[in-house]
Amino acid sequence: MSVARSKVLLCKAKAQGESAEGEKSYATVLESAGFSCTQLSVLRFEFSNLEELRVLLVQNLHSGLILTSPRSAEAVKLSLEQGEAGSESIFSNIWKNLPIYCVGAATEQVARNILGLQSCCGSETGNAEELAKFIINEMQSARNNAEVRPLLYPCSAIARDTITTTLEAARIPLQKLTVYKTLPSKTLETDLSDIFGHSLPEYLVFFSPSAVRYVTNVIKRNRQEKSMEEIKFVAIGPVTEQALVDAGLKVSATSRQPDPVALSNALRNMLVTS
């Protein structure tokens, strides 16, 4: 099967509240750098514990909110919409001046757009490990007080323990709540077959370990491993990079930040050094 040179397939999910510009930002930046770009919707999400989340959100019990993905912000929005009238107003009054710690620009954008939260910070850190360090630094003075309220951390059912263990080691209290689980798109196999049926992309970019798992499962099920030898695998962040390694795939490049410019730079640096 032929390989379409400079073609990039983005394996990412669209987030509620993501602007049209945000959705197209990767394609816009990559195409300006000489790549062609296609997006594959790999994932779907099921939300849970939304009533419990809403109860926590409308009580003044926490010192900040941790959002490690756009889905976490979506869960907050859904929980408020499903609650009693006035829940969103109460939420806004409580959280408008509290820090909202976000992993990546996409998460911050969704938090601002669908939740109206303007006190977002930490998005430049790019991954959970660096965000945890950022939070510790930001809360240094608060930790010296006699009483520190916990941070609220709504997250995925498969969230790694990075945030939890790092903050607990620093004696920063945290309340963690699972609010969604990640599943493969119902049309993933068909969509992937359609894309590969025309020509293989030169670059396959993964945004999460879940995307790696579901796409590689389809590839193995359809016995397309031989074709995959022609593709360059690219990861967004170190956790996704490790997922590719664990799947037995060679990582050609890793974008250390989850944003279009960082990905474009990673691809161009790979071309320079190859």
Side-chain angles (χ1 to χ4, degrees):
M1 187 178 297
S2 64
V3 176
R5 297 302 172 189
S6 299
K7 181 178 179 179
V8 179
L9 180 60
L10 302 172
C11 299
K12 71 185 297 287
K14 183 183 183 301
Q16 178 188 359
E18 186 175 20
S19 66
E21 293 77 12
E23 184 182 358
K24 296 177 182 177
S25 59
Y26 279 91
T28 300
V29 171
L30 291 175
E31 287 170 1
S32 69
F35 300 94
S36 62
C37 208
T38 302
Q39 182 165 323
L40 172 67
S41 182
V42 178
L43 308 175
R44 60 188 173 93
F45 305 94
E46 288 186 0
F47 294 92
S48 60
N49 298 322
L50 295 184
E51 183 177 353
E52 184 178 351
L53 176 60
R54 180 186 57 78
V55 170
L56 295 173
L57 290 168
V58 296
Q59 299 181 66
N60 194 10
L61 300 175
H62 301 89
S63 61
L65 182 65
I66 300 175
L67 301 174
T68 53
S69 73
R71 252 56 58 187
S72 298
E74 290 177 33
V76 171
K77 181 65 172 178
L78 286 172
S79 73
L80 296 170
E81 289 177 341
Q82 294 176 12
E84 296 86 352
S87 294
E88 291 180 271
S89 177
I90 296 171
F91 167 82
S92 296
N93 288 333
I94 292 173
W95 293 92
K96 63 182 178 182
N97 294 320
L98 293 176
I100 312 299
Y101 300 107
C102 300
V103 169
T107 300
E108 178 175 336
Q109 181 191 61
V110 173
R112 290 181 182 273
N113 288 351
I114 70 173
L115 298 175
L117 296 171
Q118 302 306 312
S119 53
C120 300
C121 57
S123 62
E124 69 279 3
T125 57
N127 61 66
E129 181 179 0
E130 294 303 316
L131 181 66
K133 295 176 183 177
F134 177 88
I135 293 171
I136 291 170
N137 185 61
E138 289 293 300
M139 295 191 68
Q140 190 68 45
S141 58
R143 290 192 302 163
N144 295 327
N145 296 333
E147 181 181 353
V148 179
R149 291 182 298 171
L151 297 168
L152 180 58
Y153 178 29
C155 62
S156 165
I158 56 172
R160 294 164 64 92
D161 292 331
T162 304
I163 293 276
T164 305
T165 55
T166 305
L167 295 186
E168 286 180 349
R171 297 184 179 179
I172 293 176
L174 182 74
Q175 185 167 9
K176 180 180 177 181
L177 179 66
T178 297
V179 294
Y180 71 93
K181 63 180 179 180
T182 304
L183 300 168
S185 163
K186 292 181 179 180
T187 60
L188 175 59
E189 189 158 358
T190 301
D191 294 341
L192 199 58
S193 295
D194 288 345
I195 292 170
F196 285 1
H198 294 87
S199 61
L200 294 175
E202 184 174 8
Y203 306 97
L204 203 56
V205 181
F206 290 95
F207 286 71
S208 71
S210 295
V212 173
R213 182 168 68 255
Y214 295 137
V215 170
T216 54
N217 283 346
V218 170
I219 290 170
K220 291 176 181 178
R221 191 158 57 243
N222 293 334
R223 299 183 178 181
Q224 295 174 311
E225 292 94 333
K226 192 68 177 177
S227 298
M228 295 303 99
E229 295 176 4
E230 304 296 322
I231 293 177
K232 298 179 178 70
F233 295 94
V234 180
I236 301 294
V239 176
T240 303
E241 177 184 36
Q242 186 59 50
L244 284 168
V245 173
D246 292 343
L249 299 172
K250 179 182 177 181
V251 181
S252 297
T254 298
S255 173
R256 294 298 166 182
Q257 298 286 337
D259 69 69
V261 174
L263 175 59
S264 177
N265 289 339
L267 292 175
R268 287 189 295 179
N269 289 340
M270 179 178 57
L271 292 175
V272 170
T273 57
S274 62

